[in-house]
């Protein structure tokens, strides 16, 4: 039956568990996988996918899971969303690749025009396309270095920027991202993040004190005239959906402007309608010099972008930027389908409404337990940080137990956080309220069973 299943919004929207999890067909695939794939590739769910769409993922045994992860914030408009399928299919039949560096094409230009118009700020902008988030971040650093003639890159605690040599260096967390993979890239410096829940002297002091430590690092330790760029996620993704203390990011951006440092917002996870705005930078009125996007941009096809000030982007010499697959035409067509889905479906507003449902559900769960430390995030990017009762000590075991409970009962969720003690919720914006509420019923039962 699974061979003929078609994904997209017409897929039956229901949670349905027919076998033990994982079922026999998934277990067969796991066996083949273990013989064919290296151990370093891990998956959080033990099931194998047959089809997905709307708010569900159906596995090869016919089990139907409610999707609260969107393949890590990628299928924001839903799996196999109609406009994505139509435009990408049309493009597939026309041409699949010519290499933009060799023979260019219109869909690339159209995606660039759309991103230039949608990103914050009405200054003159340019966009360059890539295939992955890490590639976008690496190239944003290249632009900043070419423009400033400086070397240093400043990042923050709890940051995630990718898995390539430069971006894993920029990523904060040792396990699993860096351990044993050094030596790392030079000239990367790390400042404390304004993480209100864990700020030693309390959340009310967080923004000012974190900003003081940041300026100290840049001015006194590195030297501001050595710093090419400061790069920050406006809401930290893998770090556990940390929303920086209000006022911190605008102060950092202003500081950078005064010193000629390129301020880069890494919106690979938070961008493209995820947080109830096109870009999370908008929530605090930030106008970054450069913005990186990826995940939600291609509707599931690999596409990434750097968008920003024309004078910075034009600083790199001709031929210095690019890639064989960068801005692939099928992925560009898919991205145009993503924009269409968001605009025609009112998905920016939908992300806000989904966030309200999730927050309401989590607050009512929090009232029944003493392990909820904090609920935070924006729009359809909400997380809950779990602690040992009566302390602020991370409760990693509860997160692992809850994730397993959800998977076993037909709900796909993701974990996060430097201490592994955060459950994060990133549903596709195509999910119904009904499915969302049902999924949180499963989460609630998981808390009750702890
Ligand atoms: C996922 C992510 C990246 C890396 O993207 P890849 O496509 O996995 O290379 C970079 N930055 C942020 C904020 C991310 O969430």
């Amino acid at each position: 039956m699974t061979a003929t299943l078609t994904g997209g919004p017409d897929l039956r929207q229901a949670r349905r568990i027919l076998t033990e999890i994982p079922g026999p067909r998934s277990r067969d695939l796991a066996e083949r996988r273990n013989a064919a794939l290296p151990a370093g590739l891990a998956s959080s769910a033990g099931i194998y996918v047959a089809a997905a769409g709307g708010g569900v993922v159906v596995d090869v045994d016919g089990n139907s899971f409610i999707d609260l992860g969107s393949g890590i914030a990628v299928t924001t408009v839903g799996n196999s969303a109609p406009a994505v399928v139509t435009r990408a299919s049309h493009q597939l039949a026309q041409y699949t690749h010519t290499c933009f560096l060799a023979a260019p094409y219109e869909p690339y230009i159209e995606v660039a025009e759309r991103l230039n118009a949608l990103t914050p700020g009405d200054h003159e902008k340019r966009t360059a396309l890539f295939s992955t988030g890490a590639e976008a971040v690496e190239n944003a650093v290249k632009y900043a270095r070419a423009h400033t003639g400086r070397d240093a890159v400043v990042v923050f605690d709890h940051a995630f920027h990718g898995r390539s040599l430069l971006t894993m260096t920029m990523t904060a967390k040792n396990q699993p991202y860096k351990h044993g993979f050094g030596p790392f890239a030079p000239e990367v410096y790390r400042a404390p993040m304004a993480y209100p829940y864990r700020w030693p002297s309390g959340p009310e002091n967080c923004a000012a004190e974190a900003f003081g430590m940041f300026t100290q690092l840049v001015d006194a330790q590195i030297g501001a005239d050595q710093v090419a760029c400061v790069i920050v996620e406006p809401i930290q993704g893998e770090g556990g959906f940390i929303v920086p203390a209000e006022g911190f990011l605008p102060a950092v951006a202003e500081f950078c402007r005064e010193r000629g440092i390129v301020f880069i917002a890494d919106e690979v996870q938070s961008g493209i309608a995820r947080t109830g705005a096109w870009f999370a930078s908008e929530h605090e009125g930030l106008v970054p010099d450069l913005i990186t996007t990826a995940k939600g941009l291609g509707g599931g096809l690999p596409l990434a972008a750097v968008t920003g000030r024309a004078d910075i982007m034009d600083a790199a010499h001709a031929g210095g930027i690019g890639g064989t697959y960068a801005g692939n035409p099928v992925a560009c067509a898919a991205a145009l389908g993503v924009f269409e889905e968001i605009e025609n479906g009112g998905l920016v507003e939908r992300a806000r409404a989904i966030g309200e449902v999730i927050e309401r559900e989590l607050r009512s769960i929090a009232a029944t337990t003493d392990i909820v430390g904090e609920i935070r995030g924006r729009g359809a990017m909400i997380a809950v940080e779990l602690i040992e009762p009566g302390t602020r000590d991370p409760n990693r075991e509860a997160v692992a137990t809850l994730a397993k409970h959800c998977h076993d009962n037909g709900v796909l969720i993701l974990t996060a956080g430097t201490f592994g003690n955060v459950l994060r919720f990133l549903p596709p914006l195509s999910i119904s309220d009904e499915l969302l509420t049902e999924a949180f019923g499963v989460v609630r039962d998981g808390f009750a069973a702890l």
Side-chain angles (χ1 to χ4, degrees):
M1 67 164 261
T2 49
T4 57
L5 212 51
T6 303
D10 295 338
L11 198 56
R12 203 175 134 229
Q13 298 295 300
R15 182 170 63 103
R16 180 180 68 233
I17 296 299
L18 304 175
T19 69
E20 58 184 321
I21 303 296
R25 288 182 175 195
S26 279
R27 289 202 303 272
D28 283 350
L29 285 169
E31 211 165 287
R32 283 170 55 195
R33 169 208 182 115
N34 291 340
L37 278 58
L41 293 164
S43 306
S44 54
I47 53 119
Y48 288 77
V49 177
V56 299
V57 174
V58 178
D59 77 4
V60 288
D61 292 290
N63 302 299
S64 180
F65 297 78
I66 303 174
D67 182 10
L68 296 185
S70 301
I72 320 190
V74 168
T75 53
T76 301
V77 298
N79 250 294
S80 302
V84 172
V85 171
T86 305
R87 285 176 180 261
S89 306
H90 183 67
Q91 182 58 49
L92 263 175
Q94 282 184 299
Y95 55 94
T96 50
H97 174 88
T98 58
C99 188
F100 197 78
L101 302 175
Y105 37 84
E106 184 176 3
Y108 187 120
I109 298 170
E110 208 177 333
V111 171
E113 288 168 345
R114 297 303 316 273
L115 284 171
N116 291 347
L118 287 166
T119 45
D122 45 22
H123 50 279
E124 196 178 344
K125 292 178 211 152
R126 302 281 186 268
T127 288
L129 298 179
F130 304 96
S131 303
T132 69
E135 214 187 344
V137 170
E138 292 243 358
N139 280 282
V141 172
K142 283 164 76 171
Y143 283 119
R145 285 177 169 165
H147 171 73
T148 58
R150 307 170 180 173
D151 293 339
V153 173
V154 177
V155 294
F156 291 87
D157 285 342
H158 310 290
F160 182 85
H161 296 294
R163 295 170 179 265
S164 62
L165 173 60
L166 176 58
T167 60
M168 82 169 162
T169 306
M170 295 163 68
T171 290
K173 195 174 169 179
N174 172 54
Q175 276 289 4
Y177 305 120
K178 308 169 81 157
H179 191 80
F181 299 150
F184 301 109
E187 290 305 314
V188 175
Y189 299 85
R190 193 172 305 283
M193 167 47 69
Y195 182 174
Y197 179 67
R198 294 196 174 274
W199 197 255
S201 61
E204 64 283 2
N205 303 315
C206 180
E209 289 182 12
F211 180 64
M213 293 161 91
F214 164 79
T215 60
Q216 168 82 10
L217 172 73
V218 172
D219 276 339
Q221 293 184 40
I222 313 169
D225 60 0
Q226 305 298 305
V227 178
C229 59
V230 170
I231 177 160
V232 64
E233 300 153 83
I235 299 177
Q236 290 185 308
E238 308 299 301
F241 291 8
I242 299 164
V243 182
E246 198 182 334
F248 176 69
L249 292 181
V252 168
E254 178 58 27
F255 174 92
C256 289
R257 198 156 20 247
E258 289 164 4
R259 285 161 180 76
I261 297 168
V262 177
F263 178 75
I264 305 171
D266 182 354
E267 294 238 26
V268 165
Q269 191 156 161
S270 60
I272 318 292
R274 176 51 58 187
T275 66
W278 273 96
F279 299 94
S281 294
E282 294 169 42
H283 297 293
E284 279 202 88
L286 290 175
V287 180
D289 296 316
L290 303 179
I291 292 190
T292 55
T293 49
K295 294 192 165 90
L297 177 62
L301 279 83
L303 191 68
V306 180
T307 301
R309 292 188 177 277
D311 59 327
I312 298 172
M313 303 278 298
D314 285 337
H317 54 274
I321 302 289
T324 306
Y325 296 109
N328 169 271
V330 182
C332 287
L336 296 173
V338 166
F339 298 141
E340 187 181 325
E341 290 280 344
I342 293 172
E343 278 160 357
N344 294 353
L347 295 187
V348 174
E349 296 71 33
R350 180 67 191 141
R352 241 172 279 148
I354 285 173
E356 283 163 21
V357 173
I358 298 177
E359 278 203 48
R360 193 182 330 120
E361 294 285 341
L362 287 176
R363 297 216 180 280
S364 103
I365 291 171
T368 68
T369 166
D370 51 5
I371 62 165
V372 170
E374 190 181 41
I375 298 162
R376 59 174 178 254
R378 284 186 162 118
M381 187 173 182
I382 306 282
V384 58
E385 173 159 0
L386 301 186
I387 48 155
E388 302 291 346
T391 73
R392 223 175 280 175
D393 298 343
N395 191 339
R396 195 191 172 106
E397 295 70 35
V399 161
T401 306
L402 282 161
K404 181 169 176 358
H405 168 89
C406 288
H407 290 171
D408 287 347
N409 289 281
V411 176
L412 291 182
I413 61 168
L414 298 168
T415 62
T418 300
F419 316 109
N421 66 322
V422 176
L423 287 174
R424 57 171 155 169
F425 302 101
L426 291 162
L429 306 181
S430 52
I431 197 170
S432 67
D433 279 351
E434 206 178 2
L435 276 186
L436 201 54
T437 311
E438 184 175 339
F440 277 90
V442 173
V443 175
R444 180 185 307 271
D445 293 345
F447 273 94
L450 280 174

